[in-house]
C-alpha cells in the first residue's frame, strides 16, 4: 500500500532517531516519553505493545534487550510504517507488527512478560477538538472505555509474574480505569506522575468545558496555566 509519510524525530529514551509516520499514525507524545523512561525490560523477554502507533515503544523495548516484541494497532498503515521504522533502527528481526482491534490480530499463542497497554485513552470529543488522534481512534465517551477493555484482555496474555505498564491521566475518567485495574490485578505501583500544561485554546473549547463540568476530566491551575496530570502505573499478573 502506498501512502504519504513524513519524518519526525524521537527525542526520548534511546533517541534521538528519525521515525516515519503516516496520515493515521499517532505522533509520539509526552506520554510516550514517560512510558519509555519507565520501561524496565529484561534481556530476551517477550513484550506486547498494544497501541503501538509508529512502533516507537516496541523499538525502544527491543533496544533495551527484549528478544521478541509484538506490536499491534488498529490504525491504517501500522504494519508498513512500524515495520519500516523498526528495520531502520536495526531491530526489525525481533519485532513483528499487526493491524487490528486490541489483541485480536496477534497469533493465538501470544504471551508476554511485559504488556505495554498504550491504547487511546482520551474522550472522543477531546480527540476531535485536539486533533491528537489522526486515525480518529480515541478512547470512548469518557476516555476510559477502551483502556478498560484493554485491561480485561491483557491479563490473559501475561505470563505469571509478568507486568502491564499502563498510562492514565486526568484527561479521562481515570478513577474508573484504576478501579478496574485494581479489581483485575490487585496492587498497583505508580511509576511516574507528571503535570502537563493543556494549551489554553484547547482548555477553552466548549467540548472540554463540558467534560470538566461532567467531572470526566480534571485540570489544576497554576497562575494562568491549566495543567493535567499524567501517570504511568505498573501492575503484575
Ligand atoms: C496514545 S496512542 C499511543 C501510540 C504509541 N504507543 C506511541 O507512544 O506513540 C494510542 C494508540 O492506540 C491505537 N488504538 C486506538 N484504538 C485501538 C484499538 N481498538 N485497538 C488497537 N489499537 C488502538 C491508536 O491508533 C493509537 O496509535
Amino acid at each position: 500500500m502506498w501512502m504519504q509519510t513524513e519524518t519526525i524525530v524521537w527525542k526520548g529514551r534511546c533517541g534521538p532517531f528519525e521515525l516515519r509516520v503516516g496520515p493515521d499514525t499517532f505522533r509520539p507524545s509526552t506520554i510516550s516519553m514517560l512510558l519509555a523512561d519507565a520501561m524496565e525490560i529484561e534481556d530476551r523477554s517477550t513484550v506486547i505493545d498494544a497501541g503501538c502507533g509508529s512502533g516507537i515503544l516496541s523499538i525502544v523495548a527491543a533496544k533495551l534487550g527484549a528478544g521478541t516484541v509484538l506490536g499491534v494497532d488498529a490504525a491504517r498503515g501500522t504494519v508498513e510504517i512500524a515495520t519500516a521504522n523498526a528495520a531502520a533502527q536495526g531491530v526489525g528481526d525481533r519485532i513483528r507488527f499487526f493491524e487490528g482491534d486490541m489483541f485480536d490480530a496477534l497469533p493465538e499463542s501470544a504471551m508476554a512478560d511485559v504488556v505495554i497497554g498504550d491504547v487511546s485513552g482520551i474522550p472522543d470529543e477531546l480527540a476531535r477538538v485536539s486533533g491528537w488522534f489522526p486515525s480518529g481512534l480515541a478512547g470512548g465517551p469518557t476516555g476510559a472505555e477502551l483502556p478498560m477493555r484493554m485491561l480485561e484482555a491483557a491479563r490473559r496474555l501475561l505470563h505469571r509474574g509478568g507486568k502491564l505498564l499502563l498510562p492514565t491521566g486526568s484527561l479521562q475518567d481515570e478513577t474508573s480505569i484504576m478501579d478496574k485495574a485494581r479489581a483485575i490485578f490487585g496492587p498497583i505501583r505508580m511509576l511516574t506522575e507528571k503535570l502537563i500544561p493543556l494549551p489554553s485554546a484547547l482548555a477553552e473549547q466548549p467540548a472540554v468545558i463540558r467534560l470538566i463540568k461532567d467531572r470526566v476530566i480534571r485540570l489544576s491551575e497554576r497562575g494562568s496555566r491549566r495543567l493535567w496530570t499524567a501517570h504511568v502505573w505498573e501492575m503484575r499478573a
Side-chain angles (χ1 to χ4, degrees):
M1 181 199 341
W2 184 87
M3 92 183 68
Q4 184 113 36
T5 60
E6 60 175 289
T7 302
I8 58 170
V9 179
W10 166 254
K11 297 191 181 130
R13 195 163 180 195
C14 303
F17 55 80
E18 291 188 344
L19 285 172
R20 303 292 293 173
V21 291
D24 287 352
T25 313
F26 183 85
R27 272 72 172 151
S29 64
T30 308
I31 306 299
S32 316
M33 294 210 191
L34 294 179
L35 265 168
D37 286 341
M39 275 161 49
E40 278 176 23
I41 304 292
E42 298 204 354
D43 265 359
R44 292 186 292 281
S45 56
T46 301
V47 175
I48 292 176
D49 178 13
C52 64
S54 60
I56 181 56
L57 298 177
S58 298
I59 293 168
V60 172
K63 285 182 182 255
L64 293 176
T68 305
V69 186
L70 305 176
V72 62
D73 199 292
R76 192 177 55 101
T78 294
V79 174
E80 292 84 341
I81 286 169
T83 302
N85 285 331
Q89 289 308 311
V91 289
D93 56 332
R94 280 180 285 144
I95 312 181
R96 281 167 65 202
F97 291 102
F98 302 84
E99 199 170 303
D101 179 51
M102 205 59 75
F103 302 108
D104 288 359
L106 295 182
E108 245 175 59
S109 57
M111 294 281 286
D113 304 302
V114 179
V115 171
I116 303 165
D118 191 21
V119 290
S120 307
I122 61 171
D124 298 336
E125 274 289 277
L126 177 57
R128 188 180 57 76
V129 295
S130 66
W132 289 341
F133 287 83
S135 63
L137 295 164
T142 71
E145 291 79 1
L146 189 63
M148 284 164 67
R149 186 155 71 83
M150 185 278 302
L151 285 172
E152 304 250 10
R155 175 70 186 81
R156 293 191 295 277
L157 296 174
L158 278 169
H159 291 303
R160 197 179 171 79
K163 63 186 176 189
L164 170 71
L165 296 176
L166 175 74
T168 64
S170 67
L171 288 183
Q172 64 190 164
D173 175 7
E174 195 175 26
T175 308
S176 297
I177 299 175
M178 298 318 295
D179 286 350
K180 181 87 174 182
R182 284 191 190 91
I184 297 174
F185 290 93
I188 289 170
R189 190 158 75 101
M190 191 205 290
L191 301 180
T192 314
E193 181 175 60
K194 187 177 166 80
L195 282 170
I196 302 174
L198 189 70
S200 48
L202 194 51
E204 283 152 20
Q205 289 279 337
V208 174
I209 293 168
R210 209 167 33 247
L211 286 162
I212 294 171
K213 194 164 147 281
D214 293 345
R215 296 175 188 270
V216 174
I217 69 181
R218 284 164 295 112
L219 302 180
S220 52
E221 289 186 18
R222 283 242 178 106
S224 61
R225 295 201 307 165
R226 245 84 53 99
L227 306 157
W228 63 281
T229 312
H231 293 111
V232 178
W233 308 92
E234 179 191 282
M235 46 212 83
R236 292 213 173 242

